[in-house]
Amino acid sequence: MEFQEAKTKFVQTWGALGSQWGINKTMAQIHALLMVSNEPVSMEDIMAELQISRGNASMNLRALMDWGPCIQGIQSGRTPGILYCREGFGRAGRKDCQGAQQAGNKTHA
């Protein structure tokens, strides 16, 4: 399994689980996307990846920042407003997708 495929499956699964936990599906998907990203992600990247509107992205990002697992920052040379998961909140998701990527590399070797 390639990294992009594993990432997509993780984001979809986390969104479905979020709905079962009483969390907005889109909010859970954004959280999952931030968890598996090694680099901070812009709102435009989130909108494109999840194919959601700016208003939907903005409302859910604000809720995630208020809740605590995600924070906003500024990265040198990029537009202000990049987002990333707090340390610890994203570790599990990155490991899952990286493990899938390594397993995929072994099967294609």
Side-chain angles (χ1 to χ4, degrees), residues 13-69:
T13 301
W14 200 254
L17 288 171
S19 294
Q20 293 176 358
W21 297 328
I23 299 169
N24 177 307
K25 179 182 177 181
T26 303
M27 183 189 303
Q29 288 179 323
I30 292 170
H31 184 227
L33 183 62
L34 293 172
M35 283 195 299
V36 298
S37 299
N38 289 326
E39 299 290 324
V41 182
S42 71
M43 185 164 68
E44 286 74 21
D45 293 339
I46 292 168
M47 291 166 38
E49 180 85 23
L50 299 178
Q51 298 180 352
I52 59 175
S53 69
R54 181 172 301 278
N56 194 358
S58 181
M59 282 187 345
N60 283 292
L61 286 168
R62 173 57 46 204
L64 280 168
M65 287 186 284
D66 290 345
W67 181 35

Side-chain angles (χ1 to χ4, degrees), residues 10 14 35-36 87-99:
F10 180 77
W14 200 254
M35 283 195 299
V36 298
E87 189 61 36
F89 280 96
R91 194 172 293 144
R94 279 194 295 275
K95 283 186 179 179
D96 287 347
C97 287
Q98 287 169 348

Side-chain angles (χ1 to χ4, degrees), residues 73-95:
I74 298 174
Q75 188 178 31
S76 174
R78 289 192 65 179
T79 306
I82 53 140
L83 298 124
Y84 54 98
C85 235
R86 289 184 186 273
E87 189 61 36
F89 280 96
R91 194 172 293 144
R94 279 194 295 275
K95 283 186 179 179

Side-chain angles (χ1 to χ4, degrees), residues 1-13 49 96-97 100-101 104 108:
M1 180 182 304
E2 296 296 322
F3 179 76
Q4 186 61 37
E5 183 182 355
K7 181 171 104 172
T8 300
K9 284 184 177 184
F10 180 77
V11 169
Q12 290 172 350
T13 301
E49 180 85 23
D96 287 347
C97 287
Q101 181 179 25
H108 295 300

